Amino acid sequence: MFDFTHLLTVVSPFNIMLMVLGVFGGLIVGSMPGLTSTMAVALLVPITFGMDVNQGLVMLVAVYIGSISGGLVSAALLNIPGTPSSVATTFDAYPMAKRGEAGKALSYGVFASFLGGLISFFALALLAPLLGAFALRFGPYEYFALAVFTLSCIISISDKSLTKGLASATVGMLMAMVGLSETDSVSRLTFGIPELQSGLSLMPVLIGMYAISQILKDVDEIKKPFKLVNVNFTAREFFSVARTFTRSIRNVVRSSLIGVGIGILPGVGPGLANIVAYTQAKAADPDPDSFGKGNPEGIIASETANNASTGGAMIPLLTLGIPGDATTMMMLGAFMIHGIQPGPLLMRDHGDLVLVILGAYFISNILMMLLQVYFIRVLIRALTIPRYVLYPVILGLCVIGSYALNSSMTDVWVFMSTGILGYLFTKRGYPLLPLVLGLILGRMAENELRVSIVMGGGNLSGYLGRPIALCFLAAAALSVVYSLYSKHRAKKRLACIPVDESAPETI
């Protein structure tokens, strides 16, 4: 299945240069508040369209790893997470920086990121072939059930409302229905516009949803400068801190396993992994009260978990064709524009490409550590770039990228309109991830359902003889029921909290 000579292509001088540029660019984007790893990959996908598929995916993997780790810089120096994956890093990194230990806080974060990425690499290398072999047993029944399970997971973890998560997923699935049906070529939801017969292009929708909505959300603060704490980071201090990690080996292993496990869950990713790992590290520590006051174990837990989740998120992408988080959703688009469908057959038909991705993942983690150690002052300087200069440049690149994919102005209008839609959704508290996953999975779910009904003689009885499909459907139902139950319990707990009526009202 694998020809290991293909690993030699990863270490070619040109690919190494692409990885250096990708990791460094990802670090810069990730370190700047508001510019997430998803946006970093979204900006790069149109550029990789004209590249060889190996080179394009090597660069995307490098950007992914760099941008996730880069978030720790602004988390430590500004108390603002550069990406959602670094939220928990702010809890202890910024207090350390405020008391004059910014260099030490960054050192803990950088080395923890490297260890999390390294453990995640081994998980990706070991689990992906096993899951890929298992997924070869999937048919239309299993794929439809998997799509339902994936959507149920995303809807269930919607921050505020299960109803809003369901509404977002429904809108996404309706968007997937635009154009000609793949089974009977019936035109749907085109409103007489010929350009919509082929459906909505995935990449303009993804770029618009995440780029425009983020820019519009930050427009109120576009003129506010960032205020940095003093930084005294040196390579000598970094290697001195790295030697002390033997004392934190349990925290590293536990946080890595949490990161990989959460990363594998479709659509969850590093945003949740760092919070869960932080809370577990705090619960296991003999001095939990020191967390939030500059405890290095909190930084280690958060940064190990969020970097470990990157490999976890790539496992379902490569083996099932289901993105593990919003960033791998963008990478799914990159596969598709190169004519490659990730999934169970990827290992068999494109084993060389999988090896290239694994090699790029390993090397990019090493480059991520080295570039942060020796060039972190460049990242710090990038934080001083005014947002009113940066955001128009990003918007221009998005427009160019959307047009370049198909040389179509229709894609530009799709990019703009879905970006505004995404902003309105976030403004009203509707999560974007269920919407985008509904768009990606909607067409697949429809096709597999219709095929399975035909195979079952015109009804759904065929599912009764498919244990894997039944397990997925049962897990989907349980996830929704458990989410409803946990939210009901949370409401009852809040209702039991006594209200102090003598307290003064606040406006």
Side-chain angles (χ1 to χ4, degrees):
M1 181 167 61
F2 292 132
D3 181 1
F4 287 92
T5 58
H6 287 101
L7 283 173
L8 296 176
T9 63
V10 183
V11 295
S12 67
F14 187 68
N15 278 342
I16 293 292
M17 182 194 73
L18 289 177
M19 281 186 277
V20 171
L21 292 174
V23 170
F24 195 65
L27 287 169
I28 291 176
V29 173
S31 66
M32 304 187 72
L35 304 187
T36 63
S37 59
T38 306
M39 188 182 291
V41 174
L43 289 172
L44 190 64
V45 166
I47 297 174
T48 64
F49 179 63
M51 301 171 67
D52 176 76
V53 62
N54 287 348
Q55 295 169 352
L57 289 172
V58 159
M59 200 168 183
L60 289 175
V61 169
V63 170
Y64 185 23
I65 291 169
S67 56
I68 290 294
S69 182
L72 75 92
V73 178
S74 58
L77 305 183
L78 298 172
N79 200 28
I80 304 172
T83 66
S85 62
S86 296
V87 170
T89 307
T90 62
F91 301 160
D92 287 284
Y94 189 67
M96 284 186 71
K98 280 182 69 177
R99 65 178 185 233
E101 297 179 313
K104 190 173 287 188
L106 290 170
S107 297
Y108 279 113
V110 170
F111 197 63
S113 296
F114 169 69
L115 291 178
L118 195 62
I119 294 173
S120 184
F121 162 75
F122 289 112
L124 176 61
L126 292 172
L127 295 179
L130 296 176
L131 188 56
F134 173 71
L136 286 173
R137 301 163 61 183
F138 284 17
Y141 298 97
E142 287 75 18
Y143 274 115
F144 172 72
L146 177 63
V148 172
F149 170 67
T150 302
L151 287 169
S152 72
C153 287
I154 306 306
I155 293 167
S156 297
I157 62 168
S158 297
D159 291 338
K160 296 179 180 178
S161 169
L162 187 70
T163 306
K164 288 185 176 181
L166 180 61
S168 289
T170 303
V171 171
M173 296 187 78
L174 285 173
M175 291 170 66
M177 304 301 159
V178 174
L180 298 177
S181 168
E182 293 183 11
T183 52
D184 51 21
S185 298
V186 173
S187 180
R188 303 172 303 186
L189 302 176
T190 59
F191 305 103
I193 304 173
E195 289 81 3
L196 293 180
Q197 292 285 0
S198 57
L200 299 177
S201 297
L202 179 61
M203 284 314 301
V205 174
L206 294 180
I207 297 171
M209 283 283 176
Y210 284 96
I212 290 185
S213 61
Q214 186 65 54
I215 291 172
L216 292 176
K217 195 163 61 175
D218 292 347
V219 74
D220 292 337
E221 300 180 354
I222 201 165
K223 291 187 178 180
K224 293 182 181 178
F226 296 126
K227 296 179 181 178
L228 295 171
V229 298
N230 293 326
V231 185
N232 52 352
F233 182 89
T234 63
R236 178 178 295 180
E237 182 177 32
F238 169 79
F239 289 110
S240 174
V241 166
R243 284 193 291 270
T244 68
F245 264 68
T246 52
R247 298 177 305 197
S248 305
I249 190 68
R250 288 185 179 180
N251 189 6
V252 169
V253 173
R254 179 180 58 248
S255 300
S256 295
L257 293 176
I258 290 172
V260 172
I262 289 179
I264 291 174
L265 296 175
V268 182
L272 178 64
N274 75 111
I275 298 290
V276 174
Y278 183 88
T279 56
Q280 291 302 309
K282 183 177 180 179
D285 197 88
D287 184 18
D289 292 337
S290 64
F291 279 68
K293 301 174 183 177
N295 190 330
E297 295 297 325
I299 304 172
I300 292 170
S302 174
E303 287 302 315
T304 302
N306 63 26
N307 282 268
S309 70
T310 58
M314 293 188 70
I315 292 173
L317 172 68
L318 297 178
T319 58
L320 302 173
I322 304 292
D325 63 357
T327 310
T328 49
M329 208 177 295
M330 298 293 177
M331 295 180 72
L332 173 63
F335 275 101
M336 294 173 72
I337 64 174
H338 283 284
I340 295 174
Q341 178 62 53
L345 300 182
L346 183 67
M347 300 282 181
R348 187 193 71 184
D349 299 341
H350 301 281
D352 55 335
L353 180 59
V354 175
L355 284 176
V356 168
I357 291 172
L358 286 172
Y361 190 91
F362 179 76
I363 295 171
S364 295
N365 272 287
I366 297 174
L367 291 173
M368 174 269 294
M369 180 182 69
L370 295 176
L371 288 172
Q372 288 201 88
V373 170
Y374 293 104
F375 294 95
I376 201 162
R377 294 196 177 278
V378 179
L379 304 180
I380 295 169
R381 290 291 299 172
L383 291 175
T384 62
I385 299 175
R387 282 179 279 191
Y388 60 81
V389 173
L390 191 65
Y391 285 174
V393 174
I394 291 173
L395 190 59
L397 291 173
C398 289
V399 171
I400 294 170
S402 298
Y403 177 81
L405 288 172
N406 297 304
S407 299
S408 170
M409 277 303 296
T410 302
D411 286 345
V412 176
W413 294 119
V414 169
F415 156 74
M416 298 293 290
S417 56
T418 53
I420 295 170
L421 177 67
Y423 170 70
L424 294 175
F425 265 58
T426 55
K427 195 79 172 174
R428 295 292 181 180
Y430 288 84
L432 289 184
L433 200 51
L435 189 154
V436 175
L437 266 181
L439 172 64
I440 292 174
L441 298 177
R443 186 155 290 199
M444 180 190 85
E446 180 202 8
N447 293 337
E448 302 298 351
L449 176 62
R450 296 178 75 168
V451 170
S452 65
I453 290 174
V454 171
M455 290 174 63
N459 55 57
L460 298 173
S461 60
Y463 282 90
L464 297 177
R466 311 292 291 211
I468 296 176
L470 288 175
C471 286
F472 277 127
L473 292 173
L478 286 174
S479 69
V480 174
V481 170
Y482 178 76
S483 176
L484 288 170
Y485 173 70
S486 60
K487 284 180 169 59
H488 177 67
R489 284 191 62 187
K491 284 181 179 179
K492 284 184 68 177
R493 208 178 300 121
L494 286 173
C496 292
I497 298 174
V499 179
D500 185 3
E501 296 182 359
S502 63
E505 293 185 3
T506 55
I507 298 175

